[in-house]
Amino acid sequence: MRIDVVSIFPEYLDALGLSLIGKARRDGLLRLDVHDLRAFAHDRHRTVDDTPYGGGAGMVMKPGPWGEALSAIADAPDAAERPLLIVPSPAGAVFNQAMAQELSTRGHLVFACGRYEGIDERVLEWAAERFEVRPVSLGDYVLNGGEVAVLAMVEAVGRLVPGVVGNPESLVEESHSDGLLEYPVYTKPPVWEGRAVPEVLLGGNHGKIARFRRNEQLARTAVRRPDLVLAIDPAGLNRHDRDALWHAGFMIDDGRVVRRPDAGDTAG
Ligand code: 6GU
């Protein structure tokens, strides 16, 4: 996979040289290039921002440098036909594991890191001729710029690229891979600070362990993320799952998971 990132703070992306993503780059599984937007600003002060038309607080990123930077990426000899241009923005569609999964199948991703109040809107319209443009948000809060969001998205996407995670099994049983949160994990010692590891995990009965873990997933998802429980397709729930959900305050009604009308506030 090929990734280009444009930013006025290229050093922010240095962290993508570390750990799993750094190794994937050295192994040639990911080609990631970071570009300094200011290299495409030609005045003496390398200006990339200006005051907003119509007034208002803050500054807006000028279209000129962005047009040049994105053209250079799109015109590179080894660029994809129509790369996906991701514009990190609190006004974008919310990033999730399904989106990470989809992005991991793309050959070429380009990230345009805005700062200040954002990038002149005409850049996004213009870019649609050469890129598939997608504004993407990490969630409902505001960051000062797109760089931290790119760190998160590249890590979430990069680890799904075949070969990046050594043991692909570890991608299967993790939070959000099946719409539920992950079960709790334990390691040695068997008793720590007076707290014992759940007995069933020490017994070696794989059926019982699988049931225990599934129940823990359902119970903690019910408490922490009831929105995810309401989105479960009941077709994938067996008798034991339904029982666990009942105890967590939910039931199946008319082919959907709903809150049990008689459940208290405990289920979130
Ligand atoms: Cl992707 N960018 C910015 N600037 N703020 C955000 C965000 C992105 N996601 C949540 N807040």
Side-chain angles (χ1 to χ4, degrees), residues 11-33:
E11 298 88 350
Y12 239 118
L13 288 310
D14 285 353
L16 296 174
L18 303 173
S19 189
L20 219 68
I21 299 298
K23 181 167 188 301
R25 291 171 73 182
R26 293 190 292 279
D27 290 348
L29 293 168
L30 295 178
R31 172 173 165 198
L32 189 146
D33 295 306

Side-chain angles (χ1 to χ4, degrees), residues 5-266:
V5 184
V6 183
S7 165
I8 58 167
F9 295 121
E11 298 88 350
Y12 239 118
L13 288 310
D14 285 353
L16 296 174
L18 303 173
S19 189
L20 219 68
I21 299 298
K23 181 167 188 301
R25 291 171 73 182
R26 293 190 292 279
D27 290 348
L29 293 168
L30 295 178
R31 172 173 165 198
L32 189 146
D33 295 306
V34 180
H35 311 267
D36 185 353
L37 181 69
R38 285 194 201 278
F40 302 92
H42 305 295
D43 64 305
R44 217 159 57 80
H45 301 289
R46 304 204 160 236
T47 310
V48 294
D49 62 330
D50 208 334
T51 53
Y53 278 122
M59 299 291 272
V60 174
M61 293 191 109
K62 294 162 65 65
W66 276 110
E68 284 194 34
L70 295 175
S71 292
I73 290 168
D75 294 343
D78 46 354
E81 178 67 35
R82 201 173 151 77
L84 185 59
L85 177 64
I86 299 165
V87 186
S89 162
V94 177
F95 185 74
N96 61 17
Q97 191 65 20
M99 199 189 293
Q101 200 72 248
E102 188 224 319
L103 299 188
S104 74
T105 67
R106 300 292 187 120
H108 190 180
L109 305 178
V110 181
F111 292 92
C113 297
R115 285 256 146 192
Y116 316 115
E117 298 307 307
I119 303 171
D120 187 306
E121 189 66 23
R122 292 168 295 178
V123 173
L124 277 69
E125 297 166 14
W126 165 90
E129 288 177 18
R130 309 163 86 174
F131 299 86
E132 183 184 333
V133 180
R134 228 191 274 181
V136 177
S137 168
L138 287 193
D140 295 339
Y141 50 88
V142 178
L143 303 169
N144 285 331
E147 287 80 4
V148 165
V150 171
L151 292 177
M153 289 190 270
V154 170
E155 182 156 317
V157 171
R159 62 194 293 284
L160 298 176
V161 170
V164 172
V165 167
N167 178 8
E169 289 266 327
S170 59
L171 300 177
V172 178
E173 290 190 5
E174 62 183 9
S175 289
H176 300 295
S177 60
D178 63 353
L180 295 176
L181 305 185
E182 181 55 300
Y183 51 76
V185 295
Y186 304 88
T187 186
K188 291 166 277 295
V191 180
W192 177 77
E193 296 280 325
R195 291 157 198 277
V197 170
E199 189 76 39
V200 60
L201 298 178
L202 309 176
N205 181 330
H206 299 294
K208 275 194 174 168
I209 291 171
R211 189 62 252 162
F212 169 80
R213 286 178 165 169
R214 178 84 174 162
N215 283 350
E216 290 288 310
Q217 280 192 280
L218 291 163
R220 66 158 49 169
T221 307
V223 171
R224 298 179 189 175
R225 294 292 304 277
D227 59 308
L228 295 182
V229 170
L230 295 173
I232 295 174
D233 178 358
L237 299 174
N238 68 23
R239 183 167 55 86
H240 300 290
D241 297 332
R242 287 162 196 246
D243 203 44
L245 283 182
W246 176 272
H247 285 289
F250 294 84
M251 60 184 255
I252 316 300
D253 182 39
D254 210 11
R256 305 183 299 124
V257 178
V258 296
R259 278 175 202 282
R260 236 169 66 209
D262 54 322
D265 285 338
T266 48

